[in-house]
């Protein structure tokens, strides 16, 4: 807007300028002479006001009642103060009838997501979410316990504002927390999951709005804020009617004595007891995390994951040596097929010669990147290459011949060194991904996050299961006795699908991530 001499300021993809600027430039002119108005477009851009006297969604009536060209609209608000800000949409049109120059929606739309039924008796049809009559309900009986889990990165408001370049495609009003939170809460109410795993939960919003709202819906909430000065954290919330709480186990990935672990990410692990009065039921371990974003620090990502897996192993371990069922959710900042993702699903990873920036798969080029060190993390972390906590054992040395004692010590030292130099990581869980990550008919990738810079999958729900390929394609796995059975999942979308509604966030979806939702059955 070069006609404004100063004080114009970028907000998302829009601009604000003091009212006095607009008054000076076009007080006695028709609006159509100051800005180009697309005649046929279903949501014509318009100035709107941001001040203490007007809400962000206030519209001059003459600008919202018609979709035709505004040829002779002459108006003058008389009660605006000189400090009021006028907010100007940043549509760029070369000529009347042109399409917008940015990735812009062509019409007002709502994302439609389907329930995909995994079990044979449920997948006769794929039905549109929103019809309550077709929502696969979780039912309990004497020999089964059904429950649903949602994983959702709700986008911290502070992080949104600190990374405003990612949301240039958005109109500024949809980025305000006062607009976003009611939408997020509406989604949570609609899906009505038994367990919520939320990431980027801002501390002040959690205490003032999120926790009270969820508690009013029947949830018990546990929260772990990131360390340092970071404003957000992870929360796990569960329905009182379905579970009782056995233990809360926060995990801090920052370690002041280990230079590698200088980041403030966290995890949270809960042990929940299903409420089934007429049958014995094992506890369920639910974990939630948000791993480091930095694509070039795969060493930190793997170490953070190992720390989370060690805590899960400790919490889920049962007296008979087995593990109770596990659900692990979160934003792992890694793409499907990456070494980190494969390690979670396959339970093993040989990282010898692996470039540090290839771990998460977020970047394709590995030029100039160093190779992962062996071992990745130092021994004083107290976590083995099997991703369990190491028990500190003091070797027993008998008082015999001194030469023999020295030999024993040297042998022990050689064994320990050989173990620690192994480049093989392992974990003891059999984990499956709820989602297949590609549409089977087209091979087009599913996406869980979409903003101005990228549209990829980084969010997951993993669950413990014995795998059986029943449909011959990835993602169609069900659990046998001893694990969780995946009943249904809420379908994901393609990047193209999301840009038809102007990407994320938008008027109806108020995070830059989609919520993931799955329904499980535990056979008793």
């Amino acid at each position: 807007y070069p006609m404004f001499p100063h004080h114009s300021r970028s907000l998302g993809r829009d601009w604000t300028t003091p009212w006095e600027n607009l008054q000076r430039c076009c007080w006695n002119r028709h609006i159509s002479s100051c800005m180009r108005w697309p005649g046929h477009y279903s949501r014509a851009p318009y100035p709107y006001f941001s001040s203490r006297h007007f809400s962000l969604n206030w519209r001059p009536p003459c600008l919202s009642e018609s979709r035709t060209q505004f040829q002779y609209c002459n108006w003058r608000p008389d009660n605006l103060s000189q400090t009021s800000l006028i907010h100007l949409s940043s549509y760029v049109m070369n000529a009347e009838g042109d399409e917008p120059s940015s990735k812009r929606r062509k019409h007002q739309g709502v994302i439609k997501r389907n329930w995909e039924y995994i079990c044979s008796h449920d997948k006769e049809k794929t039905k549109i979410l929103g019809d309550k009559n077709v929502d696969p309900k979780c039912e309990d009986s004497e020999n089964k316990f059904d429950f649903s889990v949602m994983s959702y990165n709700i986008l911290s408001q502070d992080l949104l504002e600190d990374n405003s370049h990612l949301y240039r495609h958005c109109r500024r009003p949809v980025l305000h927390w006062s607009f976003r939170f009611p939408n997020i809460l509406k989604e949570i109410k609609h899906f009505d999951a038994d367990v919520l795993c939320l990431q980027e939960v801002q501390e002040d919003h959690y205490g003032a709005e999120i926790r009270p709202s969820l508690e009013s819906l029947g949830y018990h909430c546990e929260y772990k804020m990131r360390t340092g000065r970071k404003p957000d954290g992870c929360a796990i919330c569960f329905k009182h009617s379905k579970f009782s709480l056995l233990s809360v186990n926060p995990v801090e990935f920052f370690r002041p004595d280990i230079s590698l672990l200088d980041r403030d990410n966290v995890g949270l692990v809960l042990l929940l007891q299903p409420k089934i009065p007429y049958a014995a039921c094992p506890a369920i371990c639910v974990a939630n995390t948000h791993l480091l974003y930095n694509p070039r620090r795969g060493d930190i990502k793997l170490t953070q994951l190992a720390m989370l897996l060690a805590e899960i192993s400790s919490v889920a371990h049962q007296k008979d040596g087995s593990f109770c069922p596990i659900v692990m959710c979160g934003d792992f900042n890694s793409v499907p097929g990456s070494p980190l993702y494969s390690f979670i699903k396959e339970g093993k990873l040989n990282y010898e010669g692996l470039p540090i920036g290839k771990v998460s798969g977020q970047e394709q080029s590995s030029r100039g990147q160093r190779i992962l060190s062996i071992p990745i993390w130092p021994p004083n972390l107290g976590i083995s290459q099997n991703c369990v906590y190491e028990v500190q054992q003091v070797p027993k040395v008998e008082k015999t011949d001194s030469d023999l004692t020295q030999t024993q010590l040297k042998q022990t030292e050689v064994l320990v060194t050989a173990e620690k130099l192994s480049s093989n990581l392992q974990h003891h869980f059999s984990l499956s991904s709820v989602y297949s990550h590609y549409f089977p008919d087209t091979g087009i990738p599913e996406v869980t996050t979409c903003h101005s810079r990228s549209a990829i999958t980084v969010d997951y729900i993993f669950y413990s299961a014995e795998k059986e390929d029943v449909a011959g394609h990835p993602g169609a796995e069900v659990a046998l006795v001893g694990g969780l059975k995946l009943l249904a999942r809420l379908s994901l979308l393609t990047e193209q699908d999301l840009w038809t509604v102007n990407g994320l966030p938008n008027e109806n979806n108020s995070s830059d991530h989609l919520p993931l939702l799955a329904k499980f059955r535990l056979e008793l």
Side-chain angles (χ1 to χ4, degrees):
Y1 301 102
M3 66 178 180
F4 299 135
H6 55 80
H7 300 307
S8 296
R9 181 184 175 192
S10 174
L11 289 173
R13 67 170 175 81
D14 300 339
W15 295 77
T16 61
T17 189
W19 170 247
E20 60 212 25
N21 283 354
L22 189 72
Q23 183 181 20
R24 184 182 307 116
C25 294
C26 54
W27 178 250
N28 290 316
R29 302 182 187 182
H30 296 302
I31 293 297
S32 57
S33 67
C34 299
M35 296 181 64
R36 183 178 295 279
W37 298 85
H40 77 288
Y41 207 63
S42 63
R43 285 184 66 90
Y46 42 76
Y48 66 92
F49 301 97
S50 175
S51 75
R52 286 175 290 183
H53 307 294
F54 292 92
S55 70
L56 286 171
N57 294 319
W58 184 85
R59 306 284 189 267
C62 62
L63 300 186
S64 58
E65 293 175 355
S66 172
R67 295 183 180 179
T68 59
Q69 184 94 2
F70 300 108
Q71 295 289 345
Y72 305 105
C73 181
N74 194 6
W75 55 279
R76 179 185 298 183
D78 295 323
N79 55 350
L80 286 176
S81 69
Q82 292 299 309
T83 58
S84 297
L85 295 178
I86 186 167
H87 195 155
L88 302 169
S89 174
S90 68
Y91 278 80
V92 179
M93 301 284 183
N94 295 323
E96 184 177 325
D98 283 355
E99 291 296 334
S101 62
S102 63
K103 290 181 177 178
R104 195 72 67 175
R105 67 167 179 230
K106 297 179 182 179
H107 55 79
Q108 178 84 18
V110 178
I111 295 175
K112 292 183 178 180
R113 300 177 65 186
N114 303 325
W115 276 110
E116 298 174 345
Y117 301 104
I118 308 301
C119 294
S120 58
H121 64 277
D122 281 331
K123 62 178 182 180
E124 297 146 352
K125 296 180 182 178
T126 301
K127 298 163 183 172
I128 300 293
L129 179 69
D131 184 349
K132 294 183 179 179
N133 296 323
V134 303
D135 189 354
K137 298 299 180 183
C138 294
E139 301 176 354
D140 303 333
S141 68
E142 292 185 3
N143 60 356
K144 68 178 186 296
F145 176 77
D146 292 357
F147 65 101
S148 55
V149 177
M150 173 192 283
S151 181
Y152 196 5
N153 182 326
I154 64 173
L155 181 56
S156 160
Q157 188 66 24
D158 282 4
L159 294 180
L160 181 157
E161 294 174 6
D162 289 344
N163 297 277
S164 59
H165 61 283
L166 299 179
Y167 311 105
R168 290 173 179 167
H169 62 286
C170 300
R171 292 194 306 114
R172 180 62 183 180
V174 306
L175 299 180
H176 286 282
W177 178 249
S178 59
F179 179 90
R180 297 202 303 117
F181 178 62
N183 268 358
I184 292 170
L185 189 61
K186 181 181 178 181
E187 283 185 291
I188 291 174
K189 286 181 179 179
H190 178 74
F191 292 126
D192 195 32
D194 299 315
V195 179
L196 306 175
C197 291
L198 307 177
Q199 303 89 41
E200 290 196 24
V201 180
Q202 193 163 305
E203 184 194 26
D204 54 345
H205 294 156
Y206 174 75
E209 299 171 87
I210 299 173
R211 180 173 181 172
S213 298
L214 294 180
E215 287 179 342
S216 70
L217 298 177
Y219 289 98
H220 174 92
C221 303
E222 294 292 338
Y223 178 70
K224 174 57 184 173
M225 185 180 176
R226 285 207 282 168
T227 52
R229 297 182 178 180
K230 299 300 188 295
D232 65 295
C234 295
I236 300 179
C237 313
F238 60 89
K239 288 283 187 70
H240 286 290
S241 58
K242 297 284 286 190
F243 299 96
S244 57
L245 180 63
L246 297 181
S247 69
V248 181
N249 309 273
V251 185
E252 295 183 355
F253 299 143
F254 174 78
R255 295 292 178 87
D257 57 331
I258 299 177
S259 59
L260 174 68
L261 296 173
D262 60 351
R263 308 305 167 94
D264 296 312
N265 306 83
V266 297
L268 185 60
V269 183
L270 266 56
L271 191 63
L272 303 178
Q273 180 63 54
K275 290 185 175 180
I276 303 181
Y278 40 76
C281 181
I284 297 175
C285 179
V286 179
N288 184 23
T289 193
H290 188 178
L291 299 185
L292 177 70
Y293 165 75
N294 191 334
R296 300 189 177 186
R297 292 310 304 266
D299 51 347
I300 299 178
K301 292 175 189 274
L302 280 173
T303 306
Q304 291 180 345
L305 177 60
M307 295 171 72
L308 180 69
L309 292 171
E311 187 64 29
I312 293 173
S313 179
S314 176
V315 172
H317 190 267
Q318 300 185 113
K319 293 180 180 180
D320 62 358
S322 64
F323 296 100
C324 69
I326 296 165
V327 178
M328 184 171 71
C329 302
D331 180 343
F332 290 82
N333 275 314
S334 301
V335 302
S338 65
L340 187 144
Y341 172 88
S342 299
F343 173 52
I344 294 174
K345 285 199 66 176
E346 298 173 9
K348 59 183 179 180
L349 173 66
N350 185 345
Y351 60 86
E352 183 176 3
L354 180 63
I356 195 171
K358 301 286 282 186
V359 169
S360 65
Q362 295 163 284
E363 291 187 349
Q364 298 302 316
S365 174
S366 59
R367 295 181 60 184
Q369 296 180 3
R370 62 183 176 87
I371 303 301
L372 285 170
S373 62
I374 303 176
I376 298 174
W377 56 82
N380 61 328
L381 180 59
I383 294 177
S384 73
Q385 299 295 291
N386 292 328
C387 298
V388 296
Y389 292 124
E390 290 181 321
V391 179
Q392 298 295 330
Q393 296 180 347
V394 179
K396 295 181 180 179
V397 180
E398 297 180 1
K399 293 183 179 180
T400 56
D401 183 73
S402 59
D403 293 337
L404 180 61
T405 302
Q406 291 297 323
T407 302
Q408 289 175 340
L409 290 175
K410 288 180 180 179
Q411 289 175 347
T412 303
E413 183 179 351
V414 170
L415 290 174
V416 171
T417 303
E419 178 186 359
K420 291 187 180 301
L421 288 180
S422 172
S423 60
N424 293 302
L425 294 181
Q426 293 182 333
H427 67 75
H428 301 296
F429 313 121
S430 176
L431 296 176
S432 295
S433 173
V434 163
Y435 290 92
S436 58
H437 315 308
Y438 296 90
F439 288 89
D441 297 335
T442 63
I444 296 175
E446 299 171 335
V447 300
T448 66
T449 180
C450 179
H451 50 66
S452 296
R453 289 282 181 91
S454 67
I456 57 175
T457 286
V458 293
D459 306 278
Y460 304 92
I461 300 177
F462 296 104
Y463 66 102
S464 57
E466 296 181 22
K467 303 172 184 178
E468 181 183 29
D469 189 2
V470 295
H473 60 79
E477 298 165 345
V478 298
L480 304 176
V481 177
L484 294 174
K485 180 183 293 183
L486 178 61
L487 299 179
R489 63 192 175 202
L490 189 62
S491 67
L492 290 172
L493 302 168
T494 67
E495 178 180 5
Q496 184 178 4
D497 293 334
L498 288 172
W499 282 117
T500 63
V501 290
N502 200 41
L504 297 173
N506 55 53
E507 278 78 359
N508 298 295
N509 307 89
S510 286
S511 174
D512 58 350
H513 293 248
L514 292 173
L516 279 56
L517 189 65
K519 296 180 184 287
F520 297 105
R521 172 167 295 167
L522 176 61
E523 303 283 358
L524 305 178

